Amino acid sequence: MTTINFLSLLHLVSPEVIVVVAALCVLSVDLMFLRTSETRLRGAIGSTLSLAGCATAVIWILHTPQSANVLDGMLVLNPLAQRMQIALLILSMLTVLIFIESTFTENVSEYLSLLLLATVSMMFLVSTQNLLLIFLSLELLSLSLYILTAFNKRSIRSAESALKYFIFGGISAAFLLFGASLLYGLSSSTNLASIAGSVHGPVLDPLLIVAIVMTLVGLGFKVAAAPFHFWAPDVYQGAPAPSAALIASGSKVAGFFIFYQVMVVGLAGAEGSGVWHGYASGWVPIVAIVASLSMVLGNLVAILQTSVRRLLAYSAIAHAGYMLLGIVSHTDESFRALLYYAITYALTVLGAFGVVAVVEEETGGDTFLDFAGLSRRAPVPSFCMLIFMLSLAGIPPLAGFFGKFYLFSSVLTSTPGTLGLLWLVVLAIALSAVSLYYYLKILKYIYVTKSSEGAAPIRVSALRQAALCLIALGVVLLGCAPNLLLRWL
Amino acid sequence: MLAWTIYISFLGALVVMLLPSGSVRATRILALFTTVAGFVVSLWGFTEQQSGEIVTIVRLPWVPSLGIEYHLAADGISLTLLLLTGIVAISGVLFSWNIEHRAKEFFAFYLALIGGVYGVFLSFDLLLLFVFYEIAIIPKYFLIAIWGSTRREYAAMKLALYSFVGSAMVLIGLIAAYVTAGAKTMDLMHLAQFPFPVHFQMWAFPLVFVGFGILAGLWPFHTWAPTGHVAAPTAASMLLAGVVMKLGAYGCLRVAMTLFPRGLDAWGFHVLGFGSWRDVFALLAVTGIVYGAMVALVQKDFKFVIGYSSVSHMGFVLLGLMTLQQIGLDGAVLQMFSHGVLAGLLFAVVGRMVYDRTHTRDLSELETMHLSKVIPFAAATFVLGGMASIGLPGFSGFVAELQVLIGSWHAFPLFAVVAGLGIVIGIAYTWRAMQKAFFGTSDRIPVSTTPSLPAISVPERIGAIILIISSVVVGLYPQLLLRIIVPALHSPLFDGLWKGRGR
């Protein structure tokens, strides 16, 4: 095991430290100076501090490129990990922008500091290859998210969904821990790379299969893949919009990153194969089954929804299914495709929740009827929603389309010479044709249906509009010029 | 320069969207200006290019790591269809001069659709083509769902889903081709020269062909077309029948048949008398011709007559493609142009001149209105358009369908006879619709009591005249288009198709 002194460790984790300091600053400034100020002001100052903290961390990362693998894989820094940290920080900043003018809580500083702590845990999650730290950061992330979900104290839904989230999360954490302990037992190491060294063999150890399944349950919960998705619809519906946005975006990106790392780095040699007529046992066929289940279930159940948030939840399950294909094919190319997909998906869904927040504050609900005639009441958010929904459906030239194209072609390329994984790609493309139906249904209410009598134009603050436009612009830009992001991954 | 057709249209859509919401008039004029500019550019390209060979317009790397390029080029087929798009787009704007409800959004979606269509015809990179192809789907949905009539939301959703399912099939085929070729390129020219394994082509060809064919009204996947055309506002039905269905046929010819020419080969065994995909699709095309015509014969709704006639006429395009004869393919491309212009004209008469005035499309009600006396211009236009579409010599429909028939006589004599029968039924339904709608002989109601209808406006007259003139010019002097279509069909792109002709 490599040793490292605290000062250089501090240097390596300084972006995380900056964000933690920012979280503490937000708390203390609010508690010390702003006790008597009105909520709006406290929200503005707290958000500015959080944004500043994240921005500082981004700048720090940009200026100090690191490359390290210390403490038995506890901290693995390389250009990719650092870029993922930047992406996660940007997603968190956008979440803060969506939060700024929310009115669901008076405890703004607590909310923001929890959000920042969740960001820290996501940053650790993408820069580690050690089961112990993976588990710790997953738990820190989950705990922050449970509280963020329950934050709307006026809504019973919020409390209910948080409790469900907590119970499901607790159970799946237990599964993950059990799987991790088995892996440790098999390899007497928690470092993913050394685990890989001791698990491969011509025949899979039955214990290893149990470990794989257990780990999959834990990670599948995190990315809301079927059949571990039951928390998602309730949480997406009950949580305050910015919390739901964070769960759907940043936490998803980090979750998929670590899913890939655990499977591909940690279980290298136990892949097996999911090729049509070429099945071999390992983790690939299991992930392929989970992926197909998620795609089918997510897309079909989404058709029946009448609440936009629940619809987004089921569409998230479907998208998790698509992204799992990137893990099934486990090549470098498909990893890049997966990350591109995850980041653009996160951006899109973040924007969608921003629009949901706008509508909810005006109408108090998120059913289709609350969106009726929105294009005449709030043209800019409606147009942004148009872009987000079409991107989720995979219509070019938006980011969602290119993500799908890149991901699916990389999946097919992973079995050179044969089109062995074509069955998964056909399933995915066929179901994404289904998905257009329900995305168009939302747009139909926004653009086609007449609004109820006497519905006045919605006043949306300039800041919110700017944030939404920024995200929409990002979605369009990344779709038209995917190179901007690809070059960087 | 030709690339500006795309940019102008999208820019126009953007500017229209940014106009202040009160200025309906300015919006219209801007839309008209945009479409005219698009037409002028394509006309310039048309006169500029003598040979019909493929001429690259722009070629830039787009996603270098995946070998995807922004590659626009034009050959004779593209130019013919660009011209068609320009003509139909202009007259579409002229026929929607009376749109007042959310006019800004209407023209924005309209121009975005046009931009997508121009893009498809000019793309020589498959991913780029696919991108433009899908861009064209979404505006159609909104045009129908917001401004349409009869069951508009149902029809719009049906159309969008059919198109999207079709494009999903195309996408599967394209990704599979991209990966199988393994050359990290989506360039059409390059992939068309790649010898894909025959067993691969045997499933990829029907997949992509049907995927595009859905949009071309291939029977039995045509059902979106009549409902969509009927529900759509006039300009949108003109574009749908006039241009969008051609996107499908164009894709069949440009992508499916050039990439996977061996998919047309004989299977080596016979099922129910079919020996290849070519037989199967030819049968489907002929079925479409006869079925569309027979269904059109019994419609009560005037617009459904034209809607089903589109299915019938598009059957000729697909039949022409399946002949694999020079003359048949020429005819197919010419028929795309001809049907585009004529379907646009007929929908304009039904949707704008008749329906917007009488507020009914029921033939038995129209029968009592003496429309030939009340709006004689509409009657005259419909007679001309109807004669052209049943294939009267002197109009474009005649040259096109004749060539297809000659081609299919060589390839499938039986089908040629059946298709000829379809033409006869075509005369019957056109005659019946014309008789009932305009020359109703009901004696019960005297002429004097029919309500006076607003006169045919100037934009409508101009639009109708543009379309009629285009049909007549091509009908009298088909060489105008054939001079660039024929060489285009002999470019290296179609080598694979001609090589396999011994089959």
Side-chain angles (χ1 to χ4, degrees):
Chain A
M1 189 186 278
T2 48
T3 51
I4 184 167
N5 67 37
F6 277 108
L7 211 57
S8 45
L9 183 63
L10 187 69
H11 185 66
L12 287 176
V13 297
S14 37
E16 284 90 341
V17 172
I18 292 173
V19 180
V20 173
V21 169
L24 296 176
C25 275
V26 171
L27 263 184
S28 50
V29 166
D30 191 58
L31 286 176
M32 285 192 280
F33 305 114
L34 301 167
R35 293 305 295 169
T36 51
S37 315
E38 54 174 319
T39 319
R40 272 184 69 86
L41 181 70
R42 288 167 54 211
I45 292 181
S47 307
T48 317
L49 280 174
S50 320
L51 290 175
C54 290
T56 318
V58 170
I59 294 168
W60 179 279
I61 297 173
L62 283 175
H63 278 274
T64 50
Q66 302 274 13
S67 196
N69 185 346
V70 295
L71 299 175
D72 203 16
M74 291 267 186
L75 195 64
V76 178
L77 283 174
N78 49 36
L80 180 66
Q82 289 201 310
R83 284 163 183 177
M84 288 310 292
Q85 289 184 337
I86 294 179
L88 290 168
L89 282 165
I90 291 175
L91 287 172
S92 293
M93 285 160 83
L94 291 172
T95 315
V96 173
L97 281 181
I98 289 176
F99 168 76
I100 285 185
E101 285 169 0
S102 301
T103 50
F104 61 85
T105 179
E106 281 154 16
N107 304 34
V108 279
S109 59
E110 287 87 339
Y111 189 91
L112 286 167
S113 51
L114 278 170
L115 201 155
L116 290 176
L117 286 181
T119 312
V120 170
S121 54
M122 293 190 288
M123 289 165 72
F124 272 120
L125 211 46
V126 296
S127 56
T128 180
Q129 291 205 342
N130 189 304
L131 282 177
L132 214 53
L133 204 66
I134 290 174
F135 183 75
L136 271 179
S137 16
L138 269 180
E139 279 307 280
L140 177 58
L141 176 59
S142 300
L143 283 173
S144 319
L145 291 180
Y146 301 146
I147 307 173
L148 288 176
T149 306
F151 226 83
N152 187 354
K153 280 184 274 183
R154 288 170 224 150
S155 149
I156 190 153
R157 275 238 171 99
S158 173
E160 184 203 326
S161 64
L163 192 62
K164 278 185 184 165
Y165 193 19
F166 178 63
I167 292 171
F168 271 105
I171 296 173
S172 64
F175 272 105
L176 181 63
L177 203 54
F178 192 29
S181 67
L182 286 179
L183 285 178
Y184 177 69
L186 284 168
S187 62
S188 60
S189 166
T190 53
N191 186 350
L192 291 181
S194 18
I195 292 175
S198 51
V199 297
H200 68 83
V203 182
L204 292 187
D205 190 335
L207 213 53
L208 179 63
I209 296 178
V210 177
I212 291 174
V213 172
M214 296 287 173
T215 320
L216 250 167
V217 173
L219 293 170
F221 161 82
K222 198 71 228 151
V223 299
F228 320 112
H229 64 278
F230 292 101
W231 59 275
D234 289 313
V235 171
Y236 275 51
Q237 191 175 26
S243 316
L246 187 69
I247 292 170
S249 60
S251 143
K252 268 292 173 54
V253 175
F256 269 104
F257 188 91
I258 205 60
F259 201 140
Y260 187 89
Q261 295 294 334
V262 170
M263 289 294 142
V264 178
V265 179
L267 296 171
E271 286 98 349
S273 167
V275 169
W276 191 254
H277 290 317
Y279 167 84
S281 62
W283 58 263
V284 165
I286 312 180
V287 178
I289 290 168
V290 171
S292 335
L293 257 180
S294 309
M295 290 189 287
V296 173
L297 185 127
N299 277 314
L300 295 187
V301 180
I303 294 176
L304 303 174
Q305 302 306 314
T306 53
S307 142
V308 173
R309 280 166 170 249
R310 286 188 91 82
L311 190 148
L312 284 174
Y314 282 103
S315 101
I317 297 166
H319 281 276
Y322 304 141
M323 286 188 256
L324 284 177
L325 296 191
I327 297 178
V328 170
S329 53
H330 65 276
T331 56
D332 286 347
E333 185 87 29
S334 69
F335 187 42
R336 270 159 53 101
L338 170 67
L339 292 180
Y340 178 88
Y341 196 108
I343 291 173
T344 52
Y345 168 75
L347 198 63
T348 317
V349 85
L350 196 60
F353 270 107
V355 179
V356 170
V358 167
V359 174
E360 264 182 347
E361 268 165 34
E362 183 67 24
T363 63
D366 70 314
T367 60
F368 286 165
L369 287 178
D370 294 309
F371 280 77
L374 189 68
S375 76
R376 267 100 344 128
R377 304 178 67 192
V380 175
S382 301
F383 188 69
C384 293
M385 194 66 166
L386 177 83
I387 289 175
F388 299 142
M389 289 298 116
L390 294 181
S391 173
L392 288 180
I395 300 283
L398 305 171
F401 166 74
F402 187 77
K404 281 203 173 93
F405 169 77
Y406 189 26
L407 187 65
F408 296 158
S409 62
S410 75
V411 169
L412 283 189
T413 324
S414 70
T415 53
T418 63
L419 296 175
L421 291 174
L422 188 68
W423 66 279
L424 278 173
V425 173
V426 168
L427 188 70
I429 295 183
L431 286 167
S432 77
V434 172
S435 74
L436 181 72
Y437 171 72
Y438 54 82
Y439 293 124
L440 266 186
K441 218 157 75 174
I442 300 182
L443 295 179
K444 182 182 97 177
Y445 278 94
I446 293 179
Y447 274 89
V448 180
T449 312
K450 289 196 173 65
S451 49
S452 51
E453 286 298 313
I458 300 176
R459 294 181 63 83
V460 188
S461 71
L463 186 72
R464 267 236 165 111
Q465 295 211 8
L468 288 177
C469 289
L470 187 72
I471 300 175
L473 191 71
V475 172
V476 175
L477 213 62
L478 289 181
C480 291
N483 242 24
L484 293 177
L485 185 55
L486 282 184
R487 203 173 35 194
W488 195 73
L489 285 174
Chain B
M1 180 72 187
L2 269 176
W4 279 94
T5 49
I6 306 172
Y7 310 148
I8 288 173
S9 306
F10 284 124
L11 269 180
L14 197 69
V15 175
V16 162
M17 226 162 35
L18 297 177
L19 282 180
S21 52
S23 50
V24 179
R25 201 180 145 72
T27 310
R28 269 179 222 147
I29 291 175
L30 188 71
L32 183 64
F33 178 75
T34 311
T35 49
V36 169
F39 173 70
V40 168
V41 172
S42 34
L43 191 68
W44 174 85
F46 178 77
T47 49
E48 198 69 358
Q49 195 167 347
Q50 296 304 323
S51 61
E53 298 276 309
I54 298 169
V55 176
T56 297
I57 305 165
V58 189
R59 189 165 192 173
L60 296 167
W62 182 19
V63 190
S65 58
L66 298 182
I68 295 163
E69 291 172 311
Y70 183 75
H71 182 189
L72 298 179
D75 67 357
I77 303 170
S78 318
L79 283 169
T80 308
L81 293 169
L82 284 184
L83 265 190
L84 168 70
T85 312
I87 294 169
V88 177
I90 293 177
S91 38
V93 173
L94 291 172
F95 280 109
S96 29
W97 216 246
N98 60 339
I99 296 270
E100 300 279 345
H101 174 60
R102 297 169 74 181
K104 217 173 64 157
E105 290 166 81
F106 178 87
F107 286 109
F109 281 127
Y110 183 87
L111 292 175
L113 174 55
I114 305 271
V117 172
Y118 276 129
V120 172
F121 292 143
L122 287 174
S123 303
F124 270 67
D125 185 273
L126 287 171
L127 194 78
L128 188 63
L129 186 143
F130 188 80
V131 165
F132 282 121
Y133 187 76
E134 292 227 320
I135 288 180
I137 293 179
I138 297 305
K140 286 187 299 190
Y141 173 81
F142 288 109
L143 283 174
I144 297 175
I146 300 179
W147 293 275
S149 50
T150 329
R151 294 213 291 165
R152 56 199 167 121
E153 287 175 14
Y154 162 78
M157 188 60 94
K158 187 171 175 181
L159 182 146
L161 290 184
Y162 265 76
S163 317
F164 204 60
V165 168
S167 63
M169 293 165 77
V170 172
L171 184 63
I172 294 173
L174 293 189
I175 293 184
Y178 171 73
V179 171
T180 307
K184 286 248 168 200
T185 176
M186 268 289 194
D187 186 42
L188 181 62
M189 298 292 290
H190 193 278
L191 286 183
Q193 255 127 49
F194 184 84
F196 290 104
V198 174
H199 67 89
F200 173 77
Q201 299 200 22
M202 277 297 170
W203 67 260
F205 171 73
L207 190 74
V208 176
F209 191 88
V210 171
F212 280 117
I214 287 178
L215 209 57
L218 175 70
W219 190 89
F221 309 107
H222 66 281
T223 59
W224 64 270
T227 48
H229 290 152
V230 168
T234 305
S237 359
M238 292 172 69
L239 276 191
L240 265 187
V243 186
V244 172
M245 288 180 94
K246 275 66 201 176
L247 291 184
Y250 177 81
C252 287
L253 174 64
R254 177 74 89 206
V255 180
M257 291 172 65
T258 55
L259 277 192
F260 312 120
R262 304 285 310 269
L264 289 156
D265 285 358
W267 294 328
F269 55 89
H270 284 260
V271 182
L272 301 171
F274 298 112
S276 65
W277 285 114
R278 188 179 163 214
D279 295 348
V280 174
F281 290 128
L283 178 77
L284 294 183
V286 171
T287 315
I289 295 174
V290 176
Y291 173 88
M294 301 227 293
V295 177
L297 195 55
V298 293
Q299 290 305 309
K300 294 194 181 73
D301 186 317
F302 197 6
K303 215 170 177 181
F304 263 115
V305 176
I306 315 298
Y308 277 103
S309 87
S310 279
V311 175
S312 179
H313 287 293
M314 286 307 288
F316 278 98
V317 177
L318 296 172
L319 181 63
L321 295 182
M322 283 301 107
T323 60
L324 298 183
Q325 306 276 336
Q326 175 70 46
I327 190 161
L329 286 173
D330 294 346
V333 178
L334 212 52
Q335 172 75 348
M336 289 190 213
F337 182 89
S338 161
H339 175 251
V341 170
L342 295 174
L345 183 64
L346 296 180
F347 275 117
V349 173
V350 178
R352 174 75 180 88
M353 293 186 187
V354 174
Y355 179 67
D356 281 358
R357 293 187 167 75
T358 62
H359 303 290
T360 178
R361 295 189 306 250
D362 193 325
L363 283 172
S364 54
E365 280 182 50
L366 291 174
E367 208 171 2
T368 62
M369 289 185 180
H370 301 283
L371 288 183
S372 64
K373 307 233 168 55
V374 186
I375 37 176
F377 185 83
T381 312
F382 190 81
V383 171
L384 284 175
M387 293 306 108
S389 84
I390 62 180
L392 205 69
F395 292 101
S396 54
F398 172 72
V399 253
E401 292 185 3
L402 187 69
Q403 294 197 41
V404 172
L405 280 183
I406 295 175
S408 53
W409 182 258
H410 289 296
F412 323 94
L414 180 67
F415 290 166
V417 174
V418 181
L421 187 71
I423 295 187
V424 176
I425 307 175
I427 299 176
Y429 70 71
T430 311
W431 212 270
R432 169 177 170 271
M434 190 162 71
Q435 175 75 23
K436 287 208 170 197
F438 293 103
F439 304 99
T441 49
S442 168
D443 297 329
R444 276 165 289 154
I445 305 162
V447 178
S448 53
T449 61
T450 43
S452 66
L453 301 172
I456 303 287
S457 64
V458 177
E460 289 170 65
R461 284 171 195 264
I462 301 173
I465 289 168
I466 292 175
L467 291 173
I468 293 173
I469 289 180
S470 332
S471 176
V472 171
V473 167
V474 174
L476 292 178
Y477 187 57
Q479 199 52 33
L480 190 68
L481 296 179
L482 285 177
R483 92 186 149 89
I484 54 170
I485 294 174
V486 177
L489 285 170
H490 282 286
S491 69
L493 192 59
F494 292 94
D495 274 353
L497 205 57
W498 299 128
K499 265 182 212 152
R501 247 170 84 189
R503 55 192 149 224

